[in-house]
Amino acid sequence: MKLKRAKAYRKLMHQYEIQFGFREAYQVLLDAEFLQDAWRFKIDPITRLEGVLQGKIKPMVTQCSIRHLYNAKPKNEALIEQAKTYERRRCNHHGLENPLTSLECLSEVVGPTNKHRYIVASQDQEVRKHMRAIAGLPLVYISKSVVLLEPMNTQTAEQRSALERSKFRLGLKGQRNPDAGQKRKRADDEGANGGSIEDSAGDAKPQKKKKHKGPKQPNPLSMKKPSKAPPKDESSKPKAADHREPRPSTTDASEPSAPDGETGHRKRKRKHKPKGEGASSVDAEAAAS
């Protein structure tokens, strides 16, 4: 049950942090009755309050509460010395002949809105009843040697719900830029009137050039640079003809040689003699016969 209660207190304080801006170290106002009951139950108020509120605290005591401890019967000197170690909250009631009650003193210190984000630790039921009407005010009390944190009161819950509904209506975009809707409406009104206010005043700013949307070129820094081969000296380049052995030719000397790289025998082409040469050779043969 203790772990379940601690989890509920952690969630409750998280809601106070989000909605009302509570931050560590929490400022806790301790009245005289709370300190007396903690002493009677042998409770260390600082350690117990830090466990309940799930964070560091700054204990504070008003001047009226210190005077209540001095006027208590029987007077507890050890408790008074312990209360003096806490931070003194000036309530400006020290000039009065008699100290104010815890209800009157704490009501003036906290105020109607609790703008300083106090946490009130009190055993007085009238004090807690009055403080429940103030939104965003956590209340702590002791019940049978157990320090308890009251659940969120009605005023706080209603204000938290109203804030959540307003955020839901604004939406994420409106929450980041609340003036976005007003600017859009103003721009629409200007377009309907046929011109903007700046154009009518003669102080219009040049419109920004729209960026072209399309496929982007690759990053030149991420591209691999082309490798350039070093120039080779032609004199040092070996010739292919030097490494091949001469092949015996089977063709006629007058026949054109086959180009390099071709294999097999080439077909011979018949040479035709000119007509004049053929006639003279026939007459020579006839004369000889």
Side-chain angles (χ1 to χ4, degrees):
M1 187 66 182
K2 186 177 179 180
L3 294 176
K4 185 177 181 180
R5 185 166 58 244
K7 184 177 180 181
Y9 290 164
R10 188 183 303 111
K11 183 178 180 180
L12 184 58
M13 291 307 300
H14 183 63
Q15 293 294 329
Y16 280 113
E17 290 178 1
I18 293 175
Q19 303 296 337
F20 302 98
F22 280 78
R23 294 291 182 269
E24 297 184 25
Y26 302 120
Q27 301 182 106
V28 183
L29 290 173
L30 308 171
D31 67 351
E33 294 184 11
F34 185 88
L35 293 175
Q36 289 171 352
D37 285 356
W39 183 271
R40 183 163 54 91
F41 289 115
K42 297 180 180 181
I43 295 174
D44 183 9
I46 306 303
T47 305
R48 289 293 186 90
L49 287 172
E50 288 181 350
V52 169
L53 301 177
Q54 302 291 319
K56 297 294 182 180
I57 70 167
K58 183 188 295 183
M60 307 180 75
V61 179
T62 63
Q63 296 169 333
C64 292
S65 297
I66 292 291
R67 295 175 68 181
H68 286 312
L69 293 177
Y70 274 105
N71 297 334
K73 295 179 182 181
K75 188 177 181 180
N76 192 342
E77 295 290 345
L79 180 58
I80 294 173
E81 294 299 327
Q82 178 183 345
K84 286 182 179 180
T85 60
Y86 303 151
E87 183 175 340
R88 188 70 60 85
R89 177 63 173 86
R90 297 183 181 275
C91 58
N92 299 326
H93 301 151
H94 58 279
L96 300 177
E97 183 179 357
N98 296 320
L100 297 180
T101 62
S102 298
L103 176 60
E104 295 173 345
C105 181
L106 294 179
S107 299
E108 291 189 13
V109 172
V110 173
T113 58
N114 191 23
K115 63 179 181 179
H116 297 292
R117 300 176 182 87
Y118 290 122
I119 299 174
V120 176
S122 176
Q123 292 297 105
D124 193 345
Q125 294 184 2
E126 294 295 328
V127 173
R128 297 204 305 271
K129 182 180 178 181
H130 175 77
M131 297 300 176
R132 290 189 190 101
I134 302 175
L137 179 59
L139 299 175
V140 181
Y141 65 99
I142 299 175
S143 176
K144 298 179 181 179
S145 72
V146 179
V147 181
L148 301 175
L149 175 65
E150 283 194 3
M152 192 173 290
N153 55 49
T154 307
Q155 297 292 334
T156 304
E158 290 178 356
Q159 186 171 347
R160 183 175 64 89
S161 301
L163 290 174
E164 291 180 353
R165 287 194 299 268
S166 63
K167 289 180 181 179
F168 180 76
R169 283 194 292 266
L170 288 175
L172 296 177
K173 185 175 181 180
Q175 185 178 1
R176 289 192 233 104
N177 189 8
D179 299 333
Q182 298 178 3
K183 290 181 179 179
R184 179 179 293 275
K185 184 177 179 181
R186 182 181 178 185
D188 295 341
D189 295 342
E190 290 173 357
N193 295 333
S196 64
I197 299 175
E198 294 179 353
D199 294 340
S200 60
D203 191 16
K205 294 182 180 180
Q207 296 181 355
K208 293 183 180 181
K209 187 177 180 181
K210 295 183 179 179
K211 294 183 180 180
H212 177 69
K213 295 183 179 180
K216 297 181 180 180
Q217 298 296 331
N219 189 357
L221 299 177
S222 63
M223 297 176 62
K224 186 177 180 181
K225 296 182 179 180
S227 59
K228 296 182 180 180
K232 296 183 180 180
D233 190 4
E234 294 183 358
S235 60
S236 62
K237 183 179 180 181
K239 295 182 180 180
D242 298 341
H243 297 282
R244 291 199 302 266
E245 296 181 358
R247 186 177 57 183
S249 177
T250 57
T251 59
D252 192 7
S254 60
E255 183 180 356
S257 60
D260 296 341
E262 294 185 4
T263 58
H265 298 283
R266 291 180 59 86
K267 186 178 180 180
R268 294 185 178 182
K269 294 183 180 180
R270 185 176 182 180
K271 294 183 178 181
H272 298 278
K273 296 182 179 180
K275 293 182 178 181
E277 294 179 359
S280 59
S281 60
V282 171
D283 295 341
E285 291 178 359
S289 60

